[in-house]
Amino acid sequence: MVINEVAVYNNNISVCNGTDWIELYNEGSGPALLANYTVLVNDQEYDLSMQEGEEEMELAAKEFLVVCSDDGYFDFLIEPYDIVSLADETGSIVSTTTVGNVTEGLSWSRRTNGTEGAFFEASLQFTPAATNVFPVHPTQVPWQSCGVQRKEYGYLCEYQFDSFVVFPMSPNPEFSAAAFDGRYCSLLLTGDEGFVFDFSIPLDGVSSSELERTVQIIGGSSDTEGSCFYYDETTQEQKYVYVDERERTVSLCDFPTRDEQDGGFLYRDSNCTTIGLTEEQALLQSSRSENEGFEGVACDPANQRLFVVQERRPMKIWLVDLVTESFSEFLDVEGNSAWTDLVTDLTGIAYDPIREALYVLSQESRVVVHSNLDGEIIGVPLDLRSYSSSVEGITFYPESGDLWIASEPNRFFRFVRTRDGSDQFCNTVAPTTAPVPTTASPTLPLPTPDMVINEVAVYNNNISVCNGTDWIELYNEGSGPALLANYTILVNDEEYDFSMQEGEEEMELAAKEFLVVCSDDGYFDFLIEPYDIVSLADETGSIVSTTTVGNVTEGLSWSRRTNGTEGAFFEASLQFTPAATNVFPVHPTQVPWQSCGVQRKEYGYLCEYQFDSFVVFPMSPNPEFSAAAFDGRYCSLLLTGDEGFVFDFSIPLDGVSSSELERTVQIIGGSSDTEGSCFYYDETTQEQKYVYVDERERTVSLCDFPTRDEQDGGFLYRDSNCTTIGLTEEQALLQSSRSENEGFEGVACDPANQRLFVVQERRPMKIWLVDLVTESFSEFLDVEGNSAWTDLVTDLTGIAYDPIREALYVLSQESRVVVHSNLDGEIIGVPLDLRSYSSSVEGITFYPESGDLWIASEPNRFFRFVRTMDGSDQFCNTVAPASAPKIPVPAS
């Protein structure tokens, strides 16, 4: 039995009298007795056996049942982010879904009809007691003249900055790509999580642009990066093209029109053709990082091809032949010194089919490079250092030839063509191997100012500074004085020009000095709140410094981590430091460890454990639990979620059902792809460290975890509060997987021997040993090469350690089992079968005092297993040989 469809905001009066309904489907081979099942909406239970006349009712195989909320018993009301589940007679969850953010008239439906494990999507059509239906988007909307290029684009030295616009959104969209849609003369800006923002762009500039709609791409890794619109004037073919950085694929899609009822979604599986590297090409990539894959794409419909840029290791431009649907190397940027002298990464690309030339963007070097199709660089790069530190996307307005640059987190810049580019400096082709520069007489640089925003006081509670009003601290990190009249402060779109201030026309800020700008002086009357954008512009209107204020609370300052250095990230600081160096707290570590956190006897064999209880933590959005660690200071459970958030739950010894969320701590630093965790507590030295792995970076960090009574206990700064250990370069290069999503997934602590055990998810499945004395990794167990293990598991997602028995408990999410082994890698007894409880088990830990086993599961669940027998029988504790026949997993 599975949940197949959930009707949210049902507007069809002929079905369930217009009330919400849940569709069940029996995908088995025999009838299902309904009295054995219970529907759950969040924590509310609706037992089918309680329904009059349904005690003996059966649902035949391959049949549907629609459960209405209007029958007097089933009185549920379902909304987005609710959790709808189905439990069997044992209380085990057999099917579950978290309802997406659907709007009225859209149904929440299983994509592959009736198949448990298939993901859900918003469907345009309600299909009660019938197969789910998803729309296919039409493609033909007339292409307008604005989208047709009539003359070649310019040389880069011809372009001059014209204007920019900030799109205030919460949270920030993190623009990573830009494409021009000639159907509507609009700009499609790609953001996080597969969202595409459709902005109308008038020909005379970007400042009056408006957001028309948002479209979400469903499918793939959601790490959508570069994009372009493929429009062929001859065939009238129209395709939206984008790359998936993690998968290293390119997709050509029928992009929905603005008047489609389901225009808010693009389903990759049904609306796109996706092309990827061959297995051989993928294996030749030197980078294992998912964040160094495909970053940009440019369309050439006339030749039925695409140009795709790879960010780094190696920096490369690929050619995609759309006739053969294949990739081939077009330009080895990494091996061309003329390029590597200019760029250290590649993040975007645009193409001029008339001049047959490429425009390639680099985020780290903050330049655009112009080249012909032989890879020869033309003229000089376009320098973007004055505008943004995170340029990600590039495109042209075809009709006008204007150049547009998209930037994280929420900005867009327009450059217009102002000259003809006929001089040699502008259009000279550079050789493919750059000559060694000639030695010139050294000249002393002139003293220059370099102004940055250094601190923003949100909810200032110090009456002695700016009379308790908000303030902004500027810092001149240059070598010469800065004339204040040349600068303008912007709070979102509101401008505050120093030149308008009486007495400040000639005021200067000396090098290495601070200036605090108060909001209580009659002119600077800003009020700053979390998610506001605070910027500083120079006399040309160029943004020289900017920050988006974080979600700070009263008494916390928003401060630059590396004082006075533009490009250094901002964090919440516990202390206001007007006109002084920013200060960040170091978390104390010593809080008494309680007896609940001390293990007194060995943990059990897996066959001794029996499911006891589970709890759902309703949150919006779902936290996506990926790891669990026991904190003996508070007898609490630290559950790791998305974006580096750690949730601190109190857990009573007698179960998990009465647990409460005490606080949330966010890890600042790293990739935020925090996975496995454990608490390292040494009874002898009293050392306490919170340990976690970063899956993308393939590192492990030992941290001073904040106490509950710290004022800044909501943040853990990796740079200042942790020791981080990673693989050597040689070890990293030997990894066969290039996917960031196949790295480190779990960690177990062994303080007595000053070591950690780290599991690698796959390719290869492996257990690493981390020596904390030498701060080094070494291979502990090659799981991939051990048939006794590979007969049981296809991935590794968590690990726990029993220091008394000296044994490991290893979790597999795909196989949904826990495997028990000794330190020789020999499997002990039978695995613990988790198939009845969750399809996404991610974290494992023990309650040290009681020996209870706990399993954390995406999106928001936690399961407790208690020890019920002594494990003395042979079936329970037999050690299997290292290459053993498959041990049968007991049925649910």
Side-chain angles (χ1 to χ4, degrees), residues 201 423 431 497 536 592 663 800-801 830 850 890:
I201 301 289
D423 61 282
D497 189 347
L536 185 68
R663 59 169 175 163
Y801 177 62
V830 294
S850 67

Side-chain angles (χ1 to χ4, degrees), residues 174-193:
E174 303 299 337
F175 294 146
S176 59
F180 187 85
D181 186 350
R183 301 175 303 173
Y184 302 107
C185 302
S186 69
L187 185 67
L188 301 178
L189 289 175
T190 306
D192 276 353
E193 302 300 328

Side-chain angles (χ1 to χ4, degrees), residues 226-243:
S227 61
C228 59
F229 227 107
Y230 183 100
Y231 170 68
D232 189 325
E233 278 194 272
T234 305
T235 65
Q236 299 296 301
E237 185 179 18
Q238 304 167 6
K239 295 287 182 181
Y240 174 74
V241 183
Y242 74 92
V243 292

Side-chain angles (χ1 to χ4, degrees), residues 373-440:
L373 296 187
D374 293 323
E376 299 168 325
I377 293 173
I378 303 171
V380 293
L382 178 63
D383 188 352
L384 303 173
R385 288 175 295 177
S386 299
Y387 307 105
S388 173
S389 61
S390 191
V391 287
E392 291 275 339
I394 181 172
T395 192
F396 285 90
Y397 196 121
E399 186 177 20
S400 68
D402 293 342
L403 173 64
W404 292 346
I405 302 290
S407 169
E408 293 179 338
N410 59 358
R411 302 193 163 196
F412 199 72
F413 300 86
R414 176 191 186 219
F415 295 80
V416 296
R417 197 171 175 182
T418 57
R419 43 191 283 226
D420 65 1
S422 58
D423 61 282
Q424 183 181 6
F425 175 73
C426 204
N427 58 28
T428 300
V429 174
T432 52
T433 302
V436 178
T438 57
T439 305

Side-chain angles (χ1 to χ4, degrees), residues 503-525:
E504 293 188 357
E505 296 86 349
E506 301 302 321
M507 184 177 171
E508 291 182 340
L509 181 63
K512 314 306 178 188
E513 292 292 330
F514 298 92
L515 173 68
V516 175
V517 181
C518 301
S519 65
D520 69 334
D521 67 353
Y523 175 69
F524 290 103
D525 57 353

Side-chain angles (χ1 to χ4, degrees), residues 100-122:
N101 190 20
V102 292
T103 55
E104 187 168 352
L106 297 183
S107 175
W108 186 245
S109 305
R110 190 180 296 279
R111 185 72 195 179
T112 307
N113 191 75
T115 304
E116 179 60 23
F119 59 86
F120 276 73
E121 294 177 3

Side-chain angles (χ1 to χ4, degrees), residues 757 800-809 820-823 828:
F757 300 95
Y801 177 62
D802 180 351
I804 299 176
R805 182 169 270 152
E806 293 190 323
L808 298 171
Y809 298 79
H820 188 194
S821 89
N822 60 27
L823 296 188
I828 303 171

